[in-house]
Amino acid sequence: MNKTLTFRVLQRVISLPQLFQPTRSTKLYNRTSVETYTGPEYEEYLRQKQNPSRRVKNTIKNEKLANFREELPPPLEKLKFRKISNETRNLFRKMINNVKSSSYRENHNVCLLRGKNLIREAMIAGGFIRTIYFSELKLLEKLPIDIVQKTNLVHVPIAAMREMSDERTDGLFALATQQDAKTRQKIRTQRIESVKQKESTILPVTLICEGIKDPKIMGDILKVASCVGCEEVYVMDGCVSIWNTSVLKRGGGAHFKLPILPNQQWENVEKLVSNSKPDAVFLSHNCEEGLTIIDFKQDPVVVAINKGSSVLDTLKRESTVKLDNKEDRIKNAHIPSINFDQANWPTKQSVLVVGSISFGAYSFAVNLQETVEQCHVINLPLSRKTESLSPSIEASVLLFDALRQIGKNKNLE
């Protein structure tokens, strides 16, 4: 019969065989783990317990720091990085909170990327990464190592990242530069080179987003535009910020692959679109009768026009398209409606407006109506008239249909 010994370890009574292996419970990041001691280790534990000055504090944490660089590829072992301290932890917290502010992002031309997939997509697309914050070196293994070596790296404990993040994080943040005129031109050049090498195609469609407030919907639209290869994307003033963290996450790197012009006004968009001389203008709107000024009778500008003010003269004066002498052109204009299967997408330039169609979009289409071959409202027929589709779904259906038609027509040519 085996003899047993009973003793107390960390306020717990454990009964073990004579050839015992004492255990104790420890806590790390609010998780309980069990350590098993051999005979000599237990004797050392007793000596440390009798002499507190020799006691090793947080053994597991020290082991993690000692093994921080173990089992890493050679390029990662040579990386130089800074560690965030308790003093600089507040600065990190302040930085994360600041980047969440739209005004701060615009003033400093910066955005926050979360997760290795989004950061990797931004790096591959040529986006400029200012700083990478990581909790473990292993997380950098799947990023382009040649770019990582040239980037400012900061090690941040995972607990600090979880405190700052309002959603689940994998322990990898990055600060990146937003698009500006130079980066947009760089994206255009890269896309032209990619087309020459037959690695991708460019869809001759300029997408305009109007009145989109939901970050997830905006991110989905940009993702679709990037997948089909839209020429450019204009985001009108009043839409959600495209550099919102939720938009960036749903966009999946589209911000660094596609020329995007945010915070646009209709007068400026009309000038830019007129220079490209499009052959067609399409508005995505659920209506079978088409659009007239009556559909926007609640709009303040329309109310002023109906009262006979000078708003119409102002619209005509600011327009880059020469209008005829009829003063009531916008009042009497009508944009016919067609079903999406009747849309004939030209192989040259065309414009698609998605989202909440406002009077600004209506007047934009009317001003271009006589200079383009087609100007239509595209209607997606639904089984119930009371239902409506998300702008991201409408954009997906129309853009992929345009990609199919244009690709087919080019093959016939």
Side-chain angles (χ1 to χ4, degrees):
M1 181 175 179
N2 293 335
K3 297 181 180 180
T4 61
L5 295 177
T6 303
F7 54 89
R8 186 179 299 274
V9 178
L10 296 182
Q11 304 301 322
R12 295 179 63 184
V13 177
I14 303 175
S15 180
L16 297 169
Q18 178 113 21
L19 192 59
F20 56 84
Q21 289 186 340
T23 62
R24 68 165 180 166
S25 62
T26 59
K27 287 190 176 181
L28 178 63
Y29 302 134
N30 296 326
R31 296 182 180 179
T32 301
S33 60
V34 177
E35 294 182 357
T36 302
Y37 288 93
T38 61
E41 290 176 344
Y42 182 63
E43 293 176 359
E44 178 65 21
Y45 166 73
L46 292 178
R47 284 196 296 269
Q48 290 180 6
K49 188 174 181 181
Q50 294 172 0
N51 187 0
S53 61
R54 298 181 54 187
R55 187 177 301 172
V56 180
K57 297 182 179 180
N58 204 343
T59 306
I60 297 181
K61 183 177 180 180
N62 291 338
E63 289 178 357
K64 282 195 169 234
L65 292 175
N67 299 329
F68 192 67
R69 293 180 179 270
E70 285 187 2
E71 299 179 358
L72 293 174
L76 292 183
E77 293 179 353
K78 300 178 181 179
L79 287 179
K80 296 181 180 180
F81 57 89
R82 295 182 292 112
K83 291 184 179 180
I84 197 168
S85 61
N86 292 331
E87 292 75 14
T88 57
R89 190 164 178 170
N90 291 333
L91 296 177
F92 175 72
R93 181 186 291 107
K94 183 178 180 181
M95 182 274 298
I96 295 295
N97 291 332
N98 287 338
V99 177
K100 293 179 182 179
S101 169
S102 177
S103 59
Y104 181 90
R105 292 194 300 264
E106 295 297 329
N107 294 334
H108 294 79
N109 195 31
V110 69
C111 62
L112 180 65
L113 309 180
R114 298 182 180 183
K116 59 180 180 295
N117 294 331
L118 180 56
I119 297 174
R120 182 176 63 249
E121 290 291 338
M123 286 181 165
I124 295 174
F128 178 67
I129 307 297
R130 299 184 182 183
T131 306
I132 296 178
Y133 300 90
F134 65 95
S135 60
E136 294 183 9
L137 275 172
K138 291 182 179 180
L139 296 173
L140 305 177
E141 186 176 359
K142 296 185 178 181
L143 302 181
I145 191 62
D146 55 332
I147 303 178
V148 172
Q149 291 173 342
K150 303 175 184 178
T151 307
N152 182 31
L153 302 176
V154 179
H155 173 251
V156 181
I158 187 64
M161 287 190 172
R162 288 171 178 168
E163 288 177 6
M164 297 300 99
S165 179
D166 50 2
E167 57 187 29
R168 187 176 180 180
T169 178
D170 61 357
L172 203 60
F173 289 172
L175 286 182
T177 300
Q178 297 183 10
Q179 271 194 33
D180 53 17
K182 290 183 178 180
T183 54
R184 274 192 288 271
Q185 188 57 41
K186 180 181 177 182
I187 292 173
R188 294 187 183 100
T189 304
Q190 290 176 343
R191 297 182 75 192
I192 293 174
E193 292 296 326
S194 179
V195 171
K196 289 181 180 179
Q197 297 176 6
K198 297 183 179 180
E199 295 177 353
S200 64
T201 58
I202 297 179
L203 184 68
V205 175
T206 298
L207 180 66
I208 302 177
C209 301
E210 163 76 353
I212 298 175
K213 308 291 185 181
D214 192 324
K216 295 182 179 180
I217 292 177
M218 177 62 76
D220 291 342
I221 292 176
L222 295 179
K223 179 66 174 179
V224 171
S226 174
C227 290
V228 300
C230 283
E231 186 85 24
E232 287 184 328
V233 177
Y234 297 134
V235 179
M236 304 308 299
D237 189 29
C239 291
V240 64
S241 171
I242 64 170
W243 301 106
N244 180 294
T245 53
S246 297
V247 179
L248 285 162
K249 181 178 179 180
R250 300 284 289 214
H255 297 73
F256 307 97
K257 304 175 184 177
L258 200 65
I260 306 174
L261 286 80
N263 305 322
Q264 294 295 307
Q265 301 293 333
W266 282 111
E267 292 79 7
N268 185 47
V269 171
E270 187 178 341
K271 294 178 183 178
L272 296 173
V273 170
S274 298
N275 293 335
S276 63
K277 298 180 180 180
D279 289 345
V281 176
F282 297 118
L283 308 178
S284 177
H285 190 59
N286 188 21
C287 66
E288 298 178 356
E289 296 80 14
L291 288 176
T292 63
I293 197 172
I294 300 176
D295 296 303
F296 308 97
K297 58 185 178 180
Q298 302 297 331
D299 191 282
V301 178
V302 178
V303 173
I305 290 176
N306 291 333
K307 289 183 179 180
S309 69
S310 60
V311 175
L312 182 59
D313 296 332
T314 303
L315 291 174
K316 293 173 66 176
R317 184 174 61 253
E318 293 179 351
S319 175
T320 57
V321 181
K322 293 183 179 180
L323 302 178
D324 51 28
N325 296 326
K326 297 180 180 180
E327 296 182 354
D328 57 351
R329 177 178 176 181
I330 292 183
K331 291 178 65 175
N332 297 330
H334 174 259
I335 303 178
S337 175
I338 59 174
N339 286 336
F340 85 101
D341 57 341
Q342 298 173 334
N344 184 18
W345 293 88
T347 56
K348 296 182 180 180
Q349 293 294 325
S350 58
V351 179
L352 173 64
V353 183
V354 297
S356 301
I357 303 301
S358 63
F359 177 72
Y362 168 78
S363 59
F364 162 78
V366 170
N367 290 336
L368 296 176
Q369 198 168 23
E370 290 190 356
T371 62
V372 298
E373 297 178 1
Q374 301 181 69
C375 184
H376 296 293
V377 175
I378 298 182
N379 175 48
L380 294 175
L382 304 175
S383 61
R384 297 180 182 178
K385 294 184 179 181
T386 56
E387 295 180 351
S388 61
L389 292 175
S390 165
S392 58
I393 298 177
E394 294 179 0
S396 300
V397 173
L398 297 178
L399 288 176
F400 277 102
D401 184 57
L403 182 64
R404 177 189 63 82
Q405 282 193 34
I406 294 173
K408 183 178 180 181
N409 293 336
K410 284 186 176 180
N411 291 333
L412 294 176
E413 293 176 358

